[in-house]
Amino acid sequence: MKRILLSVLGILALAVATLTPAFAQSKGTVYYMVPTLLDEFQTGSVSALELFLKQVGYEMKTLNADNKTDAQQSQMNDVIALKPKAIILAAVDFNALKPSIEAARAAGIPVVEFDRQITSTPSDFTSVAGTVEIGHVAAEQAEALLKAKNGAVKGKILQVLGDPGDPYTLDIQKGFEEKMKAFPDVKIISLPAMQWEASNAGTIVADQMLANPDIDLIFSHAAHLSVAAVASLEAAGKKPGDVMLMSSNGAPVGLDLIRKGWLNVEVEQPLYAQAAAVAMFMDKVVNKQEIKPGDYDVLGLKSVVTKEAWGPNIKIPGAAITKENVDNPAFWGNQKPPTDTVKPVE
Amino acid sequence: MSPRTRQILEFVLDNLVWFMLVFVLVVFSLFIPNYFQLGIFANIIEASSVLGVMSIGLALVIIAGHMDLSVESVAALSAMAVGILFCSSGIGIGVQLHPDWLMVPVSLLLALAVGGVIGAFNGFLVVKVKMSAFIITLASYIWVRGLVLVISGGRSAQDLAPAIRWFGIQRLIGLPLTAWIAIACFVVFSLIMAKTPFGRHLVMIGGNETATFRAGIRVNRNLIIAFVLAGAIAGLAGWLLAIRTSGATANLGVGLLFNAFAAVVIGGVSLKGGVGTLPGVYAGVLLLSAINTAINLMGLPANFTQVIHGLLVLAAVLLDAFKQTIRQRLA
């Protein structure tokens, strides 16, 4: 019996010894402050950041603010007390989190802003998709779709926004309408789906298809809103292709709608690349080294680091997904994380 | 005031919410382009189906003198349970039953059971353990939404089985079957409230629980049934929500609770309990839906819509308060 016990203890000791180097390699813990876990992009961002940060040697812990600014402020205060290597912040509210960012940096903890850019105070690194640019890409796609359908860039677009309190959707709207101004024969009707709730989008589409039956294109600011839009179109007796559809964020459900022929274009928010960029620059952020401006390759996407008033900022372009390229595993909506390992920037 | 004038005035006051609805529909039809058409009126009825069903359960508990804040999250959990089992995309596992129509009763029973169990849990704690309904159902509102997140992992289930989705597509006299389900629920529960001892007892309990108990009525049993019904009806609302959106997302139904409360209050149900009818609640639901549709058609700047929505709801509630003042003067 004693011998068996000793053998078990020996095996355990060996296992611990084998595992120890893995822990020893860890460069420390990074906290990710996720604004909500009620949408697929945010859920995906947790697993992507975790994966890439692990590849460059960091452990990641996540705190969910449930879309509540005060909860995120409290979480920031708690995390500052824990003295992590860095904080990755996707802010619920840009302005309200400014003092928390300043407090963290004053305590010597670098702050990386993810997905939601805060320009009112300096931070150590920012990785964003460029929401205004997503709007630009969407406008280019709308231009092509309308031209193909009507022979010229003219017609009616129903733009289903997300919650009007969310800068993500407002920026996309800004970029989209900015570019579409060049086409005065295009009428854009913009309505918000309050709280990004799908059935609200479904109601908007059902009402508008009656009030404006000549709508050529529906542009929803998230794929899950397009799902509800499709349900309303289906209930109105429409078939795939009767009304052109477009959405932005590249969620898996959007890609499914492309495969089924309902959705023409999905403008991707490059989740994997955004997360990979954070991991690529994490060593420099943690060690407070200079991040040089210039072009970088992030998972095959040409991205630009600029030196802004609020610190180094990487902007990664969103790509248009159509029937032709929908199965490309690089799109996060296909949920096949990149097999290539992310390497820290030297 | 002559008896006839008084009679007419009382009729108007009793049905004020219906008059408000007609007034609003006329005004919107006159001033909002494209509002006046049968399709839009059908949309108003259809869009109110989920909120309407949810409001029935909420109204039952409020009439009985309590509160159920969990209905929105219960609907979301039921929708997610149906979505995960019977959707074929996203996190849906695409369960197939043969014959196909079997998926309808099974998914419906699942949604009702999910809601009923949570309703029973709420009812037990409120009635048997004597805890505050506000606190217990608020806690359920939070943990049930959390459970939606846990079981979905924040992802969505899409592409509901065609046999179930059929209810959202097929129309009968211009209305989708989901709207007919909501109308049928209002008819059935209105009759239950008006014509059965259970309905009358709920109103009495809401009016004066102690007096009702002393009159020999089984207060606890009726209250628990009310909570179970509220949960099960919220489950039905979730089933309709899944049909309407062809699946379920983790944030499905967010904000419905406050609209349901607004509809119930506008519909003439007193938050103090003991007062209110379900036809009035349905009128309240239709009124809110008519306002939402008007906002959708007006094409106002996005940041103004919530303010306008809130102000219109406030106007409706103020009008209801005005009604109470007139009624007191008449008495």
Side-chain angles (χ1 to χ4, degrees):
Chain A
M1 188 68 189
K2 216 174 187 179
R3 223 176 255 176
I4 296 169
L5 268 174
L6 280 172
S7 310
V8 171
L9 284 174
I11 292 166
L12 279 174
L14 201 67
V16 169
T18 318
L19 289 171
T20 307
F23 287 114
Q25 279 171 9
S26 172
K27 295 173 183 170
T29 302
V30 170
Y31 272 83
Y32 173 38
M33 323 299 282
V34 68
T36 172
L37 285 175
L38 287 178
D39 84 67
E40 292 184 293
F41 179 87
Q42 304 299 349
T43 322
S45 73
V46 174
S47 40
L49 278 167
E50 206 164 51
L51 171 79
F52 295 131
L53 282 170
K54 201 173 179 187
Q55 288 175 359
V56 292
Y58 293 92
E59 283 178 59
M60 192 184 91
K61 289 184 179 169
T62 305
L63 294 181
N64 168 23
D66 266 333
N67 254 338
K68 293 183 190 90
T69 304
D70 58 328
Q72 198 166 52
Q73 283 170 327
S74 307
Q75 287 171 347
M76 282 291 280
N77 290 340
D78 293 341
V79 169
I80 290 167
L82 295 172
K83 299 205 178 302
K85 287 287 174 188
I87 294 173
I88 303 167
L89 171 69
V92 174
D93 182 296
F94 297 5
N95 292 324
L97 265 298
K98 185 184 158 191
S100 303
I101 296 167
E102 284 163 359
R105 297 185 82 229
I109 304 163
V111 178
V112 173
E113 276 150 29
F114 180 73
D115 189 44
R116 300 172 177 210
Q117 193 176 48
I118 299 177
T119 57
S120 54
T121 189
S123 57
D124 298 88
F125 186 63
T126 300
S127 174
V128 285
T131 34
V132 176
E133 286 79 356
I134 286 178
H136 290 163
V137 176
E140 283 158 18
Q141 295 298 317
E143 183 188 336
L145 289 170
L146 289 174
K147 201 169 182 181
K149 190 192 171 199
N150 299 332
V153 190
K154 60 179 183 184
K156 213 174 255 184
I157 298 175
L158 170 62
Q159 185 179 207
V160 183
L161 314 171
D163 194 272
D166 188 342
Y168 172 80
T169 192
L170 298 177
D171 274 3
I172 292 177
Q173 182 187 16
K174 187 181 160 199
F176 183 67
E177 290 175 4
E178 213 167 67
K179 277 250 170 178
M180 292 308 291
K181 263 186 193 156
F183 309 105
D185 293 335
V186 178
K187 188 185 175 198
I188 302 173
I189 304 160
S190 302
L191 291 163
M194 292 296 178
Q195 296 179 299
W196 291 96
E197 206 269 347
S199 68
N200 289 338
T203 306
I204 288 170
V205 171
D207 288 342
Q208 283 298 327
M209 287 312 294
L210 280 168
N212 296 290
D214 54 342
I215 284 173
D216 298 286
L217 171 68
I218 299 171
F219 171 35
S220 311
H221 284 196
H224 74 277
L225 302 183
S226 280
V227 175
V230 165
S232 288
L233 290 176
E234 221 178 352
K238 303 278 183 196
K239 298 269 175 294
D242 287 351
V243 179
M244 296 186 294
L245 275 133
M246 202 166 79
S247 50
S248 60
N249 87 343
V253 287
L255 273 53
D256 282 345
L257 287 178
I258 291 179
R259 291 185 185 102
K260 284 175 191 143
W262 279 103
L263 201 66
N264 297 71
V265 181
E266 178 75 39
V267 184
E268 197 209 23
Q269 195 181 355
L271 185 148
Y272 287 144
Q274 274 178 259
V278 171
M280 282 166 63
F281 289 95
M282 189 50 82
D283 279 351
K284 287 201 176 286
V285 169
V286 168
N287 299 321
K288 297 188 171 66
Q289 291 167 342
E290 193 201 353
I291 293 174
K292 285 181 185 145
D295 291 344
Y296 290 85
D297 184 288
V298 185
L299 299 180
L301 292 173
K302 266 198 171 172
S303 313
V304 187
V305 171
T306 51
K307 211 156 206 173
E308 305 290 346
W310 59 90
N313 188 102
I314 190 163
K315 211 170 232 189
I316 303 162
I321 308 171
T322 61
K323 207 157 199 167
E324 283 69 45
N325 63 353
V326 67
D327 294 321
N328 186 341
F331 299 132
W332 72 271
N334 282 318
Q335 299 189 301
K336 288 173 188 155
T339 43
D340 293 347
T341 310
V342 168
K343 301 254 180 324
V345 171
E346 294 296 319
Chain B
M1 188 184 293
S2 71
R4 189 172 167 74
T5 316
R6 177 184 283 266
Q7 206 178 6
I8 293 170
L9 204 57
E10 275 183 355
F11 174 78
V12 172
L13 287 176
D14 283 343
N15 298 285
L16 188 65
V17 62
W18 287 101
F19 286 100
M20 279 159 61
L21 176 64
V22 172
F23 173 76
V24 156
L25 287 176
V26 170
V27 170
F28 288 162
S29 296
L30 285 174
F31 295 105
I32 299 172
N34 298 314
Y35 197 95
F36 186 70
Q37 53 174 309
L38 281 178
I40 285 293
F41 296 140
N43 267 8
I44 291 171
I45 297 171
E46 192 215 340
S48 64
S49 52
V50 173
L51 181 64
V53 169
M54 188 181 281
S55 302
I56 294 173
L58 184 62
L60 292 184
V61 180
I62 293 177
I63 288 172
H66 287 271
M67 207 162 270
D68 190 347
L69 303 176
S70 69
V71 285
E72 174 193 304
S73 302
V74 171
L77 183 64
S78 301
M80 188 52 84
V82 170
I84 289 176
L85 280 185
F86 296 104
C87 280
S88 50
S89 291
I91 50 168
I93 52 177
V95 168
Q96 288 288 328
L97 300 176
H98 299 287
D100 281 357
W101 62 263
L102 208 56
M103 285 190 271
V104 175
V106 171
S107 62
L108 181 58
L109 281 175
L110 172 74
L112 292 174
V114 167
V117 166
I118 297 167
F121 175 75
N122 288 338
F124 173 77
L125 290 178
V126 172
V127 179
K128 294 283 184 192
V129 188
K130 304 280 177 214
M131 294 176 83
S132 152
F134 183 86
I135 299 299
I136 291 303
T137 58
L138 177 65
S140 294
Y141 169 80
I142 298 165
W143 73 258
V144 174
R145 178 64 75 175
L147 198 56
V148 174
L149 192 57
V150 168
I151 64 169
S152 67
R155 294 193 53 215
S156 56
Q158 302 297 342
D159 223 354
L160 192 62
I164 309 173
R165 176 88 182 103
W166 182 82
F167 283 88
I169 297 168
Q170 291 303 314
R171 287 176 177 254
L172 182 68
I173 325 175
L175 283 180
L177 294 178
T178 49
W180 286 111
I181 292 171
I183 292 168
C185 283
F186 268 104
V187 172
V188 169
F189 279 96
S190 296
L191 287 174
I192 290 174
M193 289 303 286
K195 304 285 181 195
T196 67
F198 169 72
R200 287 195 294 270
H201 290 167
L202 274 195
V203 178
M204 287 163 69
I205 293 166
N208 189 331
E209 198 173 313
T210 314
T212 312
F213 176 74
R214 288 195 178 146
I217 290 161
R218 296 168 76 175
V219 171
N220 282 1
R221 193 190 68 164
N222 283 321
L223 277 178
I224 288 184
I225 293 173
F227 273 103
V228 173
L229 278 175
I233 295 167
L236 174 62
W239 187 73
L240 293 172
L241 206 50
I243 291 175
R244 199 153 181 261
T245 54
S246 189
T249 54
N251 73 340
L252 197 63
V254 163
L256 268 177
L257 174 68
F258 299 104
N259 283 331
F261 259 98
V264 167
V265 172
I266 293 168
V269 173
S270 166
L271 289 177
K272 291 174 186 164
V275 177
T277 59
L278 290 181
V281 172
Y282 191 46
V285 172
L286 290 175
L287 185 64
L288 282 181
S289 185
I291 293 169
N292 276 339
T293 305
I295 289 171
N296 286 347
L297 295 186
M298 281 191 282
L300 295 161
N303 18 358
F304 284 100
T305 54
Q306 213 162 349
V307 175
I308 292 165
H309 191 178
L311 289 177
L312 287 172
V313 171
L314 186 65
V317 177
L318 285 175
L319 207 60
D320 188 64
F322 181 60
K323 175 184 91 174
Q324 305 298 341
T325 315
I326 297 176
R327 199 184 282 283
Q328 276 168 2
R329 282 189 190 165
L330 276 179

